[in-house]
């Protein structure tokens, strides 16, 4: 099997401040990769670079496009990259406010990506939106309510529905469960795991919560000061960490 | 300098001449050239918003300073202008703009749509079909149709450049989901030549179809926002909609109480202290002409 996404030697500095350095990995269809590390270790920087929102200083990012196969997304023209971001890719923000339009109804939020790619039948858009609300376990009776009237967990599920509606093949998530109560987190993770399996999605999920990695990820990458210090199968790294920093991360979690 | 729209300061100059205290049509030649360049660019790229350096005019923003600057840049001494405000020639706003150009440009003025070579309008398109050779200048308060849902200008500019107009339909979607139909009645968004989405200024959507394939030149000026855009003659202008909620024109369902027209855009007016109401044509010239013709 060929990778769907390939990251090669990515480096990003903010002036003299290192964001991330020399990061490479391949991601296969249906695979979930967790990126863990302490605050400031470069997780978000890496995610923003590989999802096309920040330009790297060095390195390349390749995506297996439907029409042209493996293509460098860093070399892609902006319109093409934005089109990719609206169709085959999805990005779930930690703060739902960054990923939702708070002044637009739930149905409009889910429908936007469809309308962006040319959907022009109100009834169909609404039906699809309603179907997705059901899939993320939101009350379809609230399709005309604004996200500001939803709880944090509901907003996050709405953001996921809004992202999945165009059938993306690759999803980037930055701390999607951060800021939620533990029970709400558990429910969201459960939902995510089922959706990812059902849809065969490739996922790159950034988190500092090893429980999230344990539950969702097949593989994990441990970052420290902008560099990858260890990577491997999630269970292996969590049960038998090799790098001292990974050992520290795992042991600090076990102590809780 | 005195306020040129204040006609009490002196006699209106004799017909065919203008007040020599002012450059022809008020603006200096360099400013007019700058505005004409923006207009030409706008005509070359129909529906595209061209930035221009809007000048202070002797009237407050909201009084059509964008439209007045566009008119000023277009006027020639032979012109005959008509100014309307929501269809009427006799409102304060329309009268003062008309006097402004009478005084500063010495051009002829008219209330007859068919006689005017240039019509400046606030929020209506005349009922009488426009013809080749005429110019219609719109006063525009907010030129950006995407602003309602995307306030960041860096982002809306990108959306125009990349033709990412899904958001416009999100607005219409929201309309239908909360009202059961597309409730937007004014400033109804249009697609120009299947390329740029444009705000036609707050004209009633009843007027939207008049922009399509119009033989006249249509120019839009936003003074405070410093934007100009344009439609050359015979441009395709299509109102956005959904397949299952097609665009419909909207008018008060009734007949004009003065001229009997049943196909014009109607205003509801209160006739007396008892609150008696009547529908009348919003286009006062069109209505008066019909009454005259019926009397003959
Ligand atoms: N816009 C920026 N300008 C300058 N430095 C930045 C910027 N964004 C991040 N950095 C720096 O880059 C490094 C990596 O930051 P990044 O946000 O990627 O870490 P992170 O792993 O996502 O942390 P967290 O878990 O707190 O979200 C840090 O030293 C940070 O201070
Ligand atoms: Mg981060
Ligand atoms: Zn009438």
């Amino acid at each position: 099997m060929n990778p769907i996404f390939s990251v090669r030697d990515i480096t990003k500095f903010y002036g003299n401040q290192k964001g991330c350095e020399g990061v490479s990995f391949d991601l296969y269809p249906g695979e979930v990769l967790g990126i863990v590390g302490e605050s400031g270790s470069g997780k978000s920087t890496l995610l923003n670079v590989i999802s096309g929102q920040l330009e790297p200083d060095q390195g390349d990012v390749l995506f297996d496009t439907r029409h042209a196969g493996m293509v460098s997304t860093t070399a892609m023209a902006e319109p093409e990259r934005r089109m990719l971001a609206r169709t085959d890719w999805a990005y779930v923000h930690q703060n739902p406010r960054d990923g939702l339009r708070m002044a637009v109804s739930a149905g409009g939020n889910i429908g936007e990506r469809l309308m962006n790619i040319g959907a022009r039948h109100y009834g169909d858009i609404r039906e699809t939106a309603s179907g997705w609300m059901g899939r993320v376990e939101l009350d379809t009776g609230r399709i005309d309510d604004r996200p500001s009237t939803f709880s944090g967990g509901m907003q996050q599920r709405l953001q996921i529905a809004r992202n999945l509606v165009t059938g993306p093949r690759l999803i980037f998530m930055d701390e999607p469960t951060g800021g939620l109560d533990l029970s709400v987190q558990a429910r969201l993770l459960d939902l995510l795991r089922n959706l990812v399996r059902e849809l065969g999605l490739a996922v790159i999920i950034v988190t500092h919560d090893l429980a999230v990695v344990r539950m969702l990820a097949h593989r994990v990458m441990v970052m420290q000061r902008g560099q990858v210090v260890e990577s491997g199968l999630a269970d292996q790294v969590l049960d038998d960490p090799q790098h001292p920093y990974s050992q520290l991360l795992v042991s600090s979690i076990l102590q809780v | 300098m005195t306020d040129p729209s204040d006609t009490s300061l002196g006699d209106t100059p004799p017909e065919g001449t203008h007040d020599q205290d002012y450059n022809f049509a008020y603006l200096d030649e360099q400013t007019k050239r700058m505005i004409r360049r923006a207009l030409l660019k706008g005509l070359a790229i129909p529906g595209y918003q061209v930035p221009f350096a809007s000048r202070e005019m002797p009237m407050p923003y909201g009084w059509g300073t964008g439209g007045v600057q566009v008119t000023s840049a277009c006027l020639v001494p032979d012109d005959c202008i008509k100014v309307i405000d929501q269809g009427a020639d006799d409102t304060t706003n329309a009268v003062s703009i008309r006097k402004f150009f009478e005084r500063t440009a010495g051009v002829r003025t008219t209330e007859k749509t068919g006689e005017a070579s240039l019509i400046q309008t606030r929020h209506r398109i005349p009922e009488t079909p426009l013809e080749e050779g005429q110019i219609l200048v719109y006063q525009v308060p907010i030129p950006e149709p995407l602003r309602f849902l995307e306030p960041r200008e860096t982002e809306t500019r990108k959306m125009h450049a990349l033709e990412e107009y899904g958001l416009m339909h999100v607005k219409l979607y929201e309309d239908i989901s909360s009202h059961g139909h597309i409730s937007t009645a004014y400033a109804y968004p249009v697609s120009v030549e299947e390329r740029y989405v444009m705000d036609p200024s707050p004209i009633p959507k009843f007027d939207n179809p008049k922009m399509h394939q119009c033989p006249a030149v249509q120019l839009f000026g936003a003074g405070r926002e410093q934007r100009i855009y344009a439609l050359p003659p015979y441009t395709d202008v299509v109102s956005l909609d959904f397949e299952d909620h097609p665009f419909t024109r909207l008018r008060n369902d009734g007949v004009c109480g003065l001229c009997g027209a049943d196909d014009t855009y109607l205003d509801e007016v209160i006739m007396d202290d008892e609150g008696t109401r009547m529908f009348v044509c919003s286009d006062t010239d069109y209505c008066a002409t019909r009454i005259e013709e019926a009397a003959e």
Side-chain angles (χ1 to χ4, degrees):
Chain A
M1 190 162 50
N2 294 320
I4 185 174
F5 194 62
S6 185
V7 170
R8 299 185 184 165
D9 198 23
I10 286 293
T11 295
K12 173 72 190 177
F13 273 78
Y14 302 97
N16 290 328
Q17 175 64 49
K18 188 197 295 176
C20 63
E21 190 173 31
V23 179
S24 300
F25 65 89
D26 284 338
L27 185 75
Y28 291 85
E31 190 180 29
V32 180
L33 172 69
I35 300 176
V36 297
E38 65 191 352
S39 184
S41 57
K43 306 180 299 289
S44 295
T45 301
L46 177 64
L47 198 71
N48 287 334
V49 168
I50 64 181
S51 64
Q53 299 175 69
L54 266 182
E55 217 176 306
D57 298 331
Q58 189 189 305
D60 204 359
V61 178
L62 302 155
F63 178 69
D64 183 19
T65 59
R66 288 177 203 240
H67 303 298
M70 269 320 214
V71 167
S72 164
T73 62
T74 47
M76 222 176 229
E78 194 184 13
E80 223 181 322
R81 191 163 55 231
R82 279 173 74 106
M83 183 52 118
L84 204 57
R86 286 182 298 154
T87 53
D88 262 355
W89 289 4
Y91 192 103
V92 176
H93 296 261
Q94 170 171 357
N95 187 344
R97 286 179 177 276
D98 297 330
L100 291 172
R101 291 194 190 275
M102 299 307 278
V104 168
S105 69
N109 263 288
I110 301 176
E112 179 175 353
R113 274 172 77 109
L114 295 171
M115 293 182 245
N116 274 337
I117 55 171
R120 292 292 178 265
H121 191 284
Y122 174 82
D124 290 351
I125 293 166
R126 198 169 170 78
E127 207 179 298
T128 307
S130 172
W132 269 101
M133 285 185 77
R135 289 185 81 167
V136 298
E137 297 163 19
L138 286 170
D139 176 4
T140 54
R142 301 198 58 179
I143 189 167
D144 294 330
D145 294 350
R146 291 185 175 188
S148 49
T149 68
F150 288 10
S151 70
M154 290 165 71
Q155 290 180 0
Q156 208 51 309
R157 277 179 276 144
L158 181 62
Q159 196 193 169
I160 289 163
R162 168 179 159 91
N163 271 284
L164 293 185
V165 68
T166 49
R169 295 185 293 143
L170 172 61
I171 306 193
F172 305 94
M173 300 191 200
D174 194 351
E175 304 273 10
T177 59
L180 298 175
D181 292 346
L182 278 182
S183 62
V184 179
Q185 277 194 23
R187 187 172 164 205
L188 187 69
L189 283 174
D190 208 38
L191 176 83
L192 270 176
R193 186 171 56 181
N194 291 337
L195 284 172
V196 163
R197 267 197 210 141
E198 245 172 75
L199 304 168
L201 301 169
V203 180
I204 298 172
I205 183 167
V206 159
T207 181
H208 58 257
D209 184 349
L210 293 187
V212 171
V213 173
R214 174 86 73 184
M215 185 145 172
L216 283 182
H218 303 113
R219 269 198 309 142
V220 64
M221 241 164 54
V222 181
M223 290 186 73
Q224 185 189 25
R225 286 188 229 108
Q227 290 179 330
V228 176
V229 293
E230 181 166 0
S231 70
L233 293 177
D235 288 341
Q236 263 173 29
V237 173
L238 294 179
D239 293 340
D240 185 19
Q242 298 300 309
H243 191 275
Y245 177 70
S246 319
Q247 289 167 354
L248 193 70
L249 267 187
V250 171
S251 65
S252 65
I253 285 295
L254 289 178
Q255 279 161 14
V256 173
Chain B
M1 198 194 293
T2 51
D3 175 355
S5 64
D6 183 356
T7 49
S8 67
L9 290 175
D11 298 328
T12 303
E15 203 176 299
T17 65
H18 71 275
D19 189 329
Q20 296 301 316
D21 286 346
Y22 305 100
N23 192 38
F24 176 75
Y26 187 78
L27 289 176
D28 61 273
E29 293 307 309
Q30 200 186 335
T31 300
K32 284 196 257 181
R33 265 198 301 278
M34 176 271 293
I35 294 173
R36 285 177 197 139
R37 269 198 297 272
L39 288 168
L40 287 174
K41 184 165 179 185
L43 285 163
I45 317 168
Y48 171 77
Q49 296 169 48
V50 185
F52 81 108
S54 182
R55 292 297 144 94
E56 289 287 328
M57 297 301 282
M59 58 196 71
Y61 287 124
W63 276 66
T65 54
V68 167
Q69 289 176 80
V70 169
T71 297
S72 170
C74 290
L75 279 185
V76 293
D78 276 351
D79 268 318
C80 178
I81 68 164
K82 168 182 165 77
V83 182
I84 48 172
D85 178 3
Q86 303 205 344
D89 296 82
D90 56 3
T91 65
T92 319
N93 185 321
V95 169
S96 76
I97 291 174
R98 195 163 58 229
K99 285 194 174 146
F100 175 82
F101 285 116
E102 262 175 350
R103 181 177 187 100
T104 61
V107 290
R108 287 171 300 133
T109 63
T110 181
E111 296 194 357
K112 299 252 168 277
T113 298
E115 287 174 8
S117 54
L118 185 149
I119 301 168
Q120 182 172 327
T121 179
R122 174 173 174 271
H123 306 184
R124 269 313 308 274
I125 299 176
E127 303 288 2
T128 307
L130 299 177
E131 290 168 7
E132 279 185 18
Q134 288 185 302
I135 298 175
L136 182 61
V137 176
Y138 297 76
Q139 299 173 200
V140 179
I142 297 170
E144 180 47 71
L146 296 162
R147 184 171 303 163
F148 174 75
L149 291 171
E150 180 52 77
R152 291 168 299 177
E153 202 194 316
T154 45
E155 192 60 20
T156 55
R157 211 178 288 173
K158 205 168 270 180
M159 290 162 125
H160 283 294
L162 302 178
E163 263 183 276
E164 293 178 2
Y165 289 130
L167 206 51
M168 231 40 263
H169 275 86
V170 172
K171 183 174 184 292
L172 300 179
Y173 172 97
E174 293 291 287
D175 256 14
I176 304 171
S177 67
S178 47
H179 301 100
H181 62 272
I182 298 178
S183 57
T184 300
Y186 300 91
Y188 191 103
V190 294
S191 167
V192 177
E193 292 284 324
E194 295 184 46
R195 177 58 185 86
Y196 286 97
V197 165
M198 185 187 96
D199 185 320
S201 85
I203 57 171
K205 66 177 171 182
F206 175 84
D207 285 341
N208 270 24
K210 297 175 186 168
M211 289 183 285
H212 177 63
Q213 287 291 320
C214 177
V217 172
Q218 301 175 80
L219 306 174
F220 299 79
R224 190 184 39 222
E225 302 260 348
Q226 317 216 34
R227 289 289 184 280
I228 277 171
Y229 48 102
L231 299 171
Y234 304 108
T235 297
D236 282 337
V237 179
V238 177
S239 302
L240 302 183
D241 61 3
F242 286 103
E243 289 157 20
D244 49 343
H245 285 268
F247 171 82
T248 49
R249 286 180 103 173
L250 182 75
R251 63 186 286 276
N252 277 315
D253 190 19
V255 169
C256 173
L258 300 176
C259 76
D262 60 3
D263 58 353
T264 57
Y265 190 75
L266 301 172
D267 287 335
E268 194 171 22
V269 292
I270 297 171
M271 303 301 293
D272 53 31
D273 292 345
E274 268 94 74
T276 313
R277 286 157 188 278
M278 183 170 87
F279 285 127
V280 296
C281 295
S282 125
D283 184 335
T284 52
D285 162 57
Y286 185 80
C287 194
T289 306
R290 275 176 55 86
I291 294 169
E292 270 166 38
E293 282 170 5
E296 276 161 18

